[in-house]
Amino acid sequence: MPLLREAAGPATIIRREDYTPPPFWIDRIELTFDLDPAKTRVLNKMVLRRNTEVPAQPLRLDGEELNLARVMLNGGGCSFKMDGDALVMESLPDGPEPFELEIFTTCSPEKNTQLSGLYLSQGDFFTQCEAEGFRRITYFLDRPDVMASYTVTLRADKDKYPVLLSNGNLVEQGELPDNRHFAKWSDPHRKPSYLFALVAGRLVAREQRIVTRAGKEHLLQVYVRPGDMDKTEHAMNSLVSSVIWDEARFGLALDLERFMIVATSDFNMGAMENKGLNIFNTKYVLANSATATDTDFANIESVVAHEYFHNWTGNRITCRDWFQLSLKEGLTVFRDQEFSMDLCADASARAVKRIEDVRVLRTMQFAEDAGPMAHPVRPDQYVEINNFYTVTVYEKGAEVVRMMQTLVGRDGFRKGMDLYFQRHDGQAVTCDDFAQAIADANPDSELARQPDAFKRWYSQSGTPRVTARGTYNAEERRYTLTLDQSCPATPGQAEKLPFVIPVAVGLVDAGGQDLALRLSGETHAVAGSRLLVLSEASQRFVFEDIDAEPVPSVLRGFSAPVIVDNGLSDAQLLHLLAHDSDAFNRWEAGQQLALRRAVAAIRAEGPVAAQPLDHAVVEAMRAVLRHPTLDAALKELVLTLPSETYIAEQLDEVDPQRIHAVREAMREQLAQALQADWVWAFEQHKDNGAYRPDPVSSGRRALAGLALTMLCLDARQTGDTVWPGKAYQRFKDAGNMTDRFNALSALVVSGQPLAQEALARFHTMFRHEALVIDKWFALQAGAPDRGGNILPSVRQLMNHPDFSLKNPNRARSVIFSFCSANPAGFHRADAAGYVFWSERVLELDAINPQVAARLARAMDRWKKLAEPYRSAAREAVARVAAKSDLSADVREVITRALAE
């Protein structure tokens, strides 16, 4: 948290280079809350001392939208002044001795629509303090490098708020006059203010006691509103699995007597790792087979794990400043990905998880790297830190950690983690500190040989491009692979130095087998993949004893977050699609084949061809679908075409309508050409017995769902009514939400007349299940656009009685599904989609700037658009920019979007 804030027009730029340690430390804080929706009273008693390692200066306490009633120093009066929102005190004791401050404030939770700080959700109290929400509760040094011990007393009406929770351990509770009660909580671990939490309301809990490897007993609790208890079993099981895994894999045991998860329906993000009291969006807690899909079950498992793993990577060791956000988020995303893969029963299921993660990275983060909001994993500056909770910090940050593990090995990474905690437990540190610990624990590794060059992944933005070209010398039985790297310019970074890029490589022979590989200078060949480390602009790797020209399989397992130009012919890609032992590159070969044909059709003159795919690709897809041993989940991934968003990123100029037309033509061609194969796939995979959300069953349901969609698409072209009828019947008869929603989606996506009847029936069935109705809204807002029909539907949905702009989940289900996830519906020639976007950004900004800023990013890539879209989009962005009282959150996004 830098002290120097430089004004740049109406904005304030905060720079990493300006960081200085805090002038004061806060050792202890005692908070007492008298909770009331209209006027909550907060008594804050702090023990502070000067940081004698920095020059003496006034104490500036952060605050926002607080009513200050009293300030006392060591029990007596004191002088202070207000400087904007900051409470400034100059006449404080000199020297290192501690002193006490007492500050009494009030706030109004019921008026807090930003959902940051202390707010109400359906009458209950919740908090969200990351990144800078604690200052909306009381005056404090609201920065992550100030770590204090917290004691919290909550007082409230006993009938309205029977459950009173805060961080740490419950040390006292009891009755108060006037039908009130109290609970006192003490957290034994020092923490920064962003990890503070309280919850008060009418809640019920699923409880489970466990004994860890260390022999200690712990109480696990999942709190939800009455009526939702039947949807908490999976979250609890996920939490238990997370506790077991972290202790087994990294030796990190639960360090509190109890660990609590609380679900709320009003939440800006997915979940929050407050020490011992995780607060979750209900979307990532509530699930049973009747209301949640396989995707929901998987997401809950992942997010519960992620927040629990933060207990060590984020809480016990936290960030020195917010520029180091990926220190906790990148590392913890990596840990939750590893957790999910370790729970998979076999290599294929692990590969499916890896493909799913990479698909998100390449669709969203690669686009961010190429757009106006591009920033390094460790940003150098920001105006509003909430705008940097991004796929770059999270997902690309996780890839940086994964590359460290790749370079030092799984056991070496564990040694590095051990050293990291030995050095830094209880501290607020930097990304460099983490990388150095991993390197120092593995002195003979490639990471240790080039630590400074590797750390460029933290400091340089943009997605590196790797070009791979192979040449074969039959006479010398030698295959030479040349790897080149470059990285395009990004905002503020015109020139890039070479990255350290681990490139996993295999060579596949004509029979489809991996060759044993021996590099020049080595004495023995090694079977399977080899890890090459590219650390210069260009390097050559020579493989000996190669009897015939192989097909190179480059970047196996997606060993680095780069874009690869492998120069392979269609025939070579078809060979990898049929034979590559690396499931990721098998999938990637299919994606590249489809992508090439999509781009060619988009760039071609004249109307879109009815059959953009050639016979060889269609037959290759048929072979995958009918393959006797491939997992259903992998088949579903291979048979799913690249998204319109990902296709757009391959083009210099984007015509969203033509991209949509080409991709739809490709889908319809596959639906028609493989109709008999889709029938086989559906019949073979539709029945899976009692519901279980395991990888095998989930994969079978996914393939059956894709097959049903393709059969309904084909029926739309042929006029057949049999398969739409079967889809509707499956929708009605389904024994779980996954099959039911897949059938509903098949009808909606294919534009079948039965879709409206099914949608009405679905709403009637689940009208009291908020998360299910979110799916209902999102499916309609994200449906394929046919003749401009989606925007009018979206406007109707916003007038639906169940729609609320103030609820982030509901706003995302309609507005974001349309603006951010439905390119053809959004990018209209009449610019009506852009007008809708600008209206919603401004409307949301007045309520919840964080959500509004996320929506504003739907126009990040407007400069790539072809005319007439580009001019119309710029006009819409400028319309938002012209509003004088935009929040800092939205103004930063819009200003960067308009920057030349």
Side-chain angles (χ1 to χ4, degrees):
M1 213 51 83
L3 296 177
L4 177 60
R5 292 179 172 236
E6 176 183 317
T12 298
I13 298 177
I14 303 176
R15 304 182 191 280
R16 183 173 63 89
E17 65 187 8
D18 295 332
Y19 171 84
T20 58
F24 293 83
W25 299 114
I26 301 176
D27 293 323
R28 298 192 306 278
I29 176 171
E30 293 184 13
L31 293 169
T32 301
F33 290 83
D34 281 293
L35 294 168
D36 180 83
K39 187 178 182 180
T40 287
R41 296 163 176 81
V42 183
L43 179 62
N44 171 3
K45 295 182 178 180
M46 293 180 283
V47 176
L48 300 87
R49 55 188 168 86
R50 289 186 182 274
N51 181 356
T52 57
E53 296 182 2
V54 301
Q57 54 193 282
L59 174 64
R60 294 178 60 89
L61 297 177
D62 303 299
E64 187 176 320
E65 296 188 13
L66 299 174
N67 300 306
L68 179 61
R70 182 174 75 239
V71 180
M72 299 179 70
L73 171 64
N74 289 330
C78 63
S79 62
F80 63 89
K81 65 180 181 180
M82 299 304 300
D83 182 6
D85 287 330
L87 173 62
V88 182
M89 306 181 69
E90 297 180 343
S91 301
L92 294 173
D94 295 324
E97 295 304 313
F99 58 91
E100 295 183 3
L101 275 184
E102 181 176 308
I103 301 173
F104 184 67
T105 56
T106 63
C107 61
S108 180
E110 69 182 10
K111 294 180 181 179
N112 182 1
T113 62
Q114 295 186 28
L115 310 185
S116 173
L118 178 64
Y119 66 93
L120 291 180
S121 172
Q122 296 186 24
D124 296 334
F125 288 94
F126 293 91
T127 55
Q128 172 55 39
C129 293
E130 188 174 1
E132 296 177 341
F134 192 72
R135 65 189 61 187
R136 296 170 61 83
I137 296 174
T138 187
Y139 287 100
F140 202 71
L141 287 174
D142 193 12
R143 45 188 288 169
D145 56 353
V146 175
M147 303 174 73
S149 297
Y150 283 67
T151 301
V152 178
T153 300
L154 307 176
R155 301 194 291 229
D157 183 281
K158 186 175 181 180
D159 293 333
K160 295 178 181 177
Y161 312 106
V163 174
L164 302 174
L165 307 175
S166 192
N167 309 86
N169 298 318
L170 179 64
V171 294
E172 189 180 356
Q173 59 185 333
E175 305 293 323
L176 294 171
D178 301 322
N179 197 42
R180 292 169 64 79
H181 69 142
F182 77 94
K184 186 176 182 179
W185 294 80
S186 177
D187 189 345
H189 301 280
R190 293 166 60 246
K191 64 175 178 285
S193 55
Y194 80 86
L195 291 173
F196 168 79
L198 75 79
V199 172
R202 292 189 180 98
L203 301 165
V204 293
R206 176 184 289 272
E207 297 186 347
Q208 185 165 336
R209 293 190 179 273
I210 62 168
V211 178
T212 61
R213 288 186 171 199
K216 294 183 178 180
E217 185 177 279
H218 304 270
L219 174 63
L220 308 182
Q221 296 173 302
V222 178
Y223 283 91
V224 294
R225 292 196 171 96
D228 285 334
M229 183 68 83
D230 65 325
K231 306 183 193 77
T232 59
E233 182 180 9
H234 181 65
M236 178 61 82
N237 290 342
S238 299
L239 178 57
V240 172
S241 297
S242 302
V243 174
I244 293 169
W245 182 88
D246 212 16
E247 196 170 7
R249 174 80 185 264
F250 289 108
L252 302 175
L254 179 54
D255 57 0
L256 289 168
E257 294 172 7
R258 72 171 73 199
F259 190 93
M260 298 170 283
I261 288 174
V262 185
T264 176
S265 54
D266 294 289
F267 204 69
N268 283 339
M269 297 177 284
M272 179 61 209
E273 71 269 17
N274 317 297
K275 183 72 179 183
L277 179 57
N278 289 186
I279 298 179
F280 273 61
N281 190 321
T282 49
K283 180 179 175 68
Y284 297 109
V285 172
L286 304 181
N288 60 31
S289 62
T291 62
T293 64
D294 291 334
T295 299
D296 295 325
F297 275 89
N299 287 341
I300 288 168
E301 181 181 83
S302 175
V303 175
V304 167
H306 181 95
E307 304 309 330
Y308 174 76
F309 297 153
H310 266 314
N311 190 49
W312 284 89
T313 52
N315 297 3
R316 289 286 288 256
I317 302 180
T318 195
C319 310
R320 185 195 72 176
D321 52 68
W322 288 120
F323 300 102
Q324 318 297 329
L325 181 58
S326 196
L327 172 79
K328 71 183 185 78
E329 295 302 347
L331 174 55
T332 306
V333 169
F334 165 77
R335 276 156 47 73
D336 81 56
Q337 290 174 349
E338 286 288 284
F339 165 75
S340 295
M341 287 196 285
D342 283 354
L343 292 187
C344 294
D346 56 37
S348 179
R350 289 178 65 90
V352 166
K353 168 62 177 167
R354 182 66 179 142
I355 291 167
E356 290 170 346
D357 290 339
V358 172
R359 196 161 58 173
V360 171
L361 182 86
R362 297 205 307 194
T363 301
M364 300 175 64
Q365 196 281 320
F366 281 15
E368 184 167 84
D369 253 347
M373 286 292 287
H375 55 276
V377 170
R378 182 190 58 208
D380 291 318
Q381 64 182 49
Y382 61 79
V383 172
E384 175 50 66
I385 184 55
N386 288 326
N387 286 332
F388 288 86
Y389 283 73
T390 61
V391 281
T392 296
V393 166
Y394 280 64
E395 275 72 20
K396 186 176 182 180
E399 294 300 315
V400 174
V401 176
R402 184 172 298 282
M403 286 188 290
M404 292 187 206
Q405 176 171 272
T406 299
L407 291 170
V408 304
R410 185 171 165 122
D411 292 340
F413 188 78
R414 167 64 193 270
K415 288 196 299 181
M417 286 282 284
D418 290 346
L419 181 59
Y420 175 57
F421 282 103
Q422 289 169 18
R423 286 179 174 176
H424 301 299
D425 189 14
Q427 299 176 15
V429 300
T430 67
C431 296
D432 284 338
D433 292 325
F434 174 73
Q436 198 62 53
I438 304 300
D440 289 348
N442 298 275
D444 297 326
S445 67
E446 287 290 340
L447 178 63
R449 293 187 188 100
Q450 306 179 76
D452 293 338
F454 182 84
K455 289 175 186 177
R456 290 171 191 155
W457 283 106
Y458 283 117
S459 61
Q460 295 186 158
S461 57
T463 306
R465 270 70 167 167
V466 172
T467 301
R469 293 293 184 271
T471 57
Y472 178 64
N473 186 318
E475 185 176 337
E476 298 178 353
R477 298 171 58 237
R478 177 177 291 162
Y479 183 83
T480 302
L481 184 65
T482 301
L483 300 178
D484 299 321
Q485 66 163 299
S486 63
C487 188
T490 51
Q493 293 188 349
E495 302 292 332
K496 310 292 174 72
L497 294 171
F499 292 82
V500 175
I501 303 175
V503 182
V505 171
L507 299 181
V508 183
D509 68 15
Q513 301 298 309
D514 280 356
L515 295 172
L517 302 180
R518 181 173 72 87
L519 287 163
S520 289
E522 295 179 343
T523 57
H524 300 290
V526 178
S529 302
R530 292 296 303 269
L531 186 68
L532 310 179
V533 179
L534 174 63
S535 57
E536 300 171 15
S538 182
Q539 287 174 244
R540 296 170 68 223
F541 300 89
V542 180
F543 297 94
E544 306 287 357
D545 306 327
I546 306 298
D547 292 328
E549 182 170 4
V551 177
S553 174
V554 179
L555 205 72
R556 283 184 159 180
F558 198 71
S559 56
V562 302
I563 295 171
V564 173
D565 171 8
N566 55 30
L568 297 182
S569 66
D570 285 351
Q572 290 174 309
L573 287 174
L574 287 165
H575 189 69
L576 294 181
L577 176 58
H579 301 294
D580 202 328
S581 64
D582 182 76
F584 178 88
N585 271 6
R586 197 168 194 164
W587 169 78
E588 174 66 355
Q591 294 288 289
Q592 289 300 315
L593 287 163
L595 201 57
R596 287 182 182 182
R597 280 137 188 86
V599 170
I602 291 162
R603 289 174 174 164
E605 297 292 332
V608 172
Q611 295 188 327
L613 299 172
D614 54 86
H615 178 74
V617 171
V618 171
E619 290 307 309
M621 293 299 177
R622 190 194 313 275
V624 169
L625 186 54
R626 290 278 194 170
H627 198 284
T629 60
L630 284 181
D631 280 357
L634 183 58
K635 290 182 179 183
E636 190 269 342
L637 289 169
V638 173
L639 270 295
T640 299
L641 295 167
S643 70
E644 292 176 27
T645 301
Y646 188 63
I647 293 170
E649 285 302 315
Q650 318 308 311
L651 303 168
D652 295 326
E653 188 174 75
V654 173
D655 180 342
Q657 297 301 330
R658 189 165 181 91
I659 292 173
H660 177 66
V662 166
R663 188 177 186 274
E664 285 301 290
M666 293 169 69
R667 279 215 303 175
E668 290 169 1
Q669 182 184 357
L670 284 177
Q672 186 175 31
L674 305 182
Q675 200 270 350
D677 306 283
W678 292 120
V679 171
W680 169 84
F682 178 74
E683 295 296 341
Q684 289 293 312
H685 298 89
K686 66 177 182 178
D687 297 321
N688 297 287
Y691 180 82
R692 294 179 59 214
D694 61 274
V696 173
S697 302
S698 298
R700 289 177 58 84
R701 283 188 288 270
L703 185 56
L706 176 62
L708 193 56
T709 298
M710 299 303 260
L711 289 165
C712 286
L713 276 172
D714 179 64
R716 187 173 188 274
Q717 299 174 80
T718 63
D720 168 57
T721 59
V722 173
W723 278 104
K726 287 186 175 182
Y728 187 53
Q729 194 62 43
R730 184 168 176 84
F731 160 76
K732 292 192 293 184
D733 297 342
N736 60 76
M737 177 55 75
T738 304
D739 286 338
R740 192 185 308 280
F741 197 75
N742 282 347
L744 177 63
S745 179
L747 292 170
V748 172
V749 167
S750 60
Q752 293 292 341
L754 282 171
Q756 293 308 310
E757 185 177 339
L759 284 165
R761 188 183 185 107
F762 188 86
H763 184 272
T764 299
M765 293 172 67
F766 297 103
R767 62 187 180 277
H768 299 304
E769 297 285 352
L771 296 176
V772 180
I773 296 303
D774 285 339
K775 301 180 199 301
W776 181 82
F777 276 113
L779 179 61
Q780 295 173 79
D785 190 84
R786 293 185 171 90
N789 67 317
I790 299 301
L791 179 56
S793 173
V794 166
R795 289 194 178 276
Q796 285 185 337
L797 290 172
M798 287 192 63
N799 290 322
H800 193 282
D802 291 338
F803 181 79
S804 170
L805 194 67
K806 291 183 178 180
N807 178 263
N809 284 356
R810 194 54 49 87
R812 285 187 283 258
S813 72
V814 177
I815 302 169
F816 285 59
S817 294
F818 175 70
C819 295
S820 301
N822 193 343
F826 178 57
H827 297 283
R828 296 164 55 109
D830 64 2
Y834 305 148
V835 172
F836 175 83
W837 167 85
S838 63
E839 293 170 348
R840 300 293 79 74
V841 170
L842 295 175
E843 190 176 7
L844 276 165
D845 197 39
I847 300 169
N848 191 325
Q850 285 188 44
V851 175
R854 297 278 173 170
L855 178 61
R857 296 206 53 192
M859 292 289 251
D860 270 4
R861 305 292 276 145
W862 70 267
K863 292 179 183 177
K864 282 192 72 170
L865 295 170
E867 293 293 357
Y869 309 104
R870 186 189 305 127
S871 295
R874 192 197 187 286
E875 183 178 336
V877 176
R879 189 180 308 120
V880 173
K883 194 168 191 298
S884 59
D885 59 344
L886 279 182
S887 68
D889 307 61
V890 171
R891 186 161 297 284
E892 179 172 27
V893 172
I894 294 298
T895 300
R896 291 182 67 151
L898 288 172
E900 297 299 331

